[in-house]
Amino acid sequence: MQLSLCGAGLGAGKLSLLEFAELAARTGYAGIDFGISSAQRLADELGGATALSEKLLLLGVAPASFGLEVEWRRDDAAFTSGMETLAARAALAQQLGCDRCCTWMPSATSDDSSEWRTRTVARFTEIGKVFADYGVRFGLEWVGPHHLRAGGENQMGPNPTVWTLPQTLELIAETGQSNIGLLVDSYHCYTTGITEDELAALTDSQIVHVHINDAPVGVGPAGAKDGQRVVPGTGEIDLVSFLSGLRRAGYSGSIACEILAPAPVAETPDEAATLIRTALRGLGL
């Protein structure tokens, strides 16, 4: 597994994409999780995708995964508008040598559950087909924290959707797209009770990207809040087993530390990226 730098928890929101890549290079990361629109703007400034690729190559940093910008969770107009630029964004990703894009799914909705599923499967199928034309794999992330589910204290809606690994695999199967797979996050595995053996039963082709983070000591799976994550190795998630499951599955892609928290983990982006890199090294990464 190669380490990719994720902006969450770094306080790096004011950095340009090039500055972010430079941060990754000097703090020991092989790749970056990035925004595809930011990449397009930088490519335009530099004179094209080839120039951007050369910049990243000189830094020794690869574009590992980009976030989906199509508004698939909203109404038809927003979705259609996003789809108009998807092929161009996928083409840029292909030019940059990045073959992975991810999105997250709400665990509950205000819509009827069956209607949400039918619409979501149809939209993911359409997105997957566009990505397939450019060799891009599409990763879906389930959201596990109990407080966000239907009936939870901060529920995303009154009706349940998808919040477990098995449910996500079922939804992927319904799309019929072989390039759609999983974004596996240690926090969501923890809050839904996914074991090392269940991860090991997956295949490399099913896993598109991985996020690693930790839960505060003492909260337990049912009490772990989505925006209160901590640095890997400082909490109560068994990350050794999590990583062992991924290795047994043969996962060969990138892994990024995503710490969703009220404040950055250190005073500066450099200090935060270095602290996280040291913590991941302690886990054998």
Side-chain angles (χ1 to χ4, degrees):
M1 288 178 277
Q2 301 81 43
L3 288 186
S4 180
L5 184 63
C6 171
L10 302 183
K14 295 182 179 180
L15 297 183
S16 68
L17 178 59
L18 184 56
E19 290 171 332
F20 187 67
E22 291 169 343
L23 171 64
R26 65 175 173 265
T27 53
Y29 296 81
I32 52 172
D33 284 16
F34 66 103
I36 194 67
S37 288
S38 295
Q40 184 65 70
R41 288 191 294 270
L42 182 54
D44 292 342
E45 291 172 12
L46 295 173
T50 299
L52 175 52
S53 290
E54 290 173 352
K55 279 278 189 184
L56 295 175
L57 185 62
L58 285 173
L59 289 172
V61 173
S65 177
F66 63 97
L68 180 70
E69 296 179 352
V70 176
E71 290 286 1
W72 65 268
R73 303 177 195 89
R74 292 172 53 190
D75 59 26
D76 289 342
F79 176 70
T80 300
S81 176
M83 289 299 294
E84 290 174 355
T85 59
L86 185 63
R89 295 294 187 259
L92 174 62
Q94 184 181 53
Q95 290 174 296
L96 295 176
C98 180
D99 65 352
R100 306 185 190 220
C101 175
C102 298
T103 193
W104 61 273
M105 298 178 293
S107 54
T109 180
S110 296
D111 298 331
D112 176 80
S113 294
S114 61
E115 292 178 359
W116 178 91
R117 189 180 188 90
T118 298
R119 181 175 64 249
T120 298
V121 168
R123 289 179 175 183
F124 284 165
T125 301
E126 189 173 344
I127 291 167
K129 287 179 178 179
V130 173
F131 278 151
D133 290 338
Y134 298 92
V136 176
R137 296 172 62 193
F138 183 32
L140 307 183
E141 179 181 33
W142 74 93
V143 173
H146 294 225
H147 70 111
L148 298 176
R149 303 179 198 172
E153 60 186 276
N154 302 118
Q155 65 178 7
M156 293 179 169
N159 302 315
T161 56
V162 171
W163 69 93
T164 70
L165 169 58
Q167 291 171 340
T168 305
L169 290 173
E170 289 174 3
L171 188 146
I172 290 170
E174 288 180 36
T175 69
Q177 294 297 119
S178 61
N179 63 323
I180 299 182
L182 301 163
L183 191 168
V184 178
D185 187 304
S186 60
Y187 213 78
H188 302 317
C189 288
Y190 176 64
T191 53
T192 57
I194 298 300
T195 66
E196 176 182 336
D197 286 344
E198 287 176 289
L199 289 176
L202 298 172
T203 64
D204 186 38
S205 63
Q206 288 178 296
I207 307 173
V208 174
H209 196 38
V210 171
H211 285 163
I212 188 169
N213 39 64
D214 216 334
V217 174
V219 298
K225 301 293 180 66
D226 200 42
Q228 297 178 4
R229 309 185 193 191
V230 298
V231 175
T234 66
E236 62 183 19
I237 298 179
D238 184 356
L239 294 174
V240 172
S241 293
F242 174 74
L243 293 172
S244 176
L246 293 172
R247 291 189 179 102
R248 289 170 57 196
Y251 178 60
S252 61
S254 294
I255 181 168
C257 181
E258 184 193 48
I259 302 176
L260 303 180
V265 300
E267 292 187 6
T268 70
D270 274 84
E271 291 172 341
T274 299
L275 180 132
I276 291 169
R277 182 67 189 91
T278 300
L280 295 176
R281 191 173 290 115
L283 291 167
L285 292 170

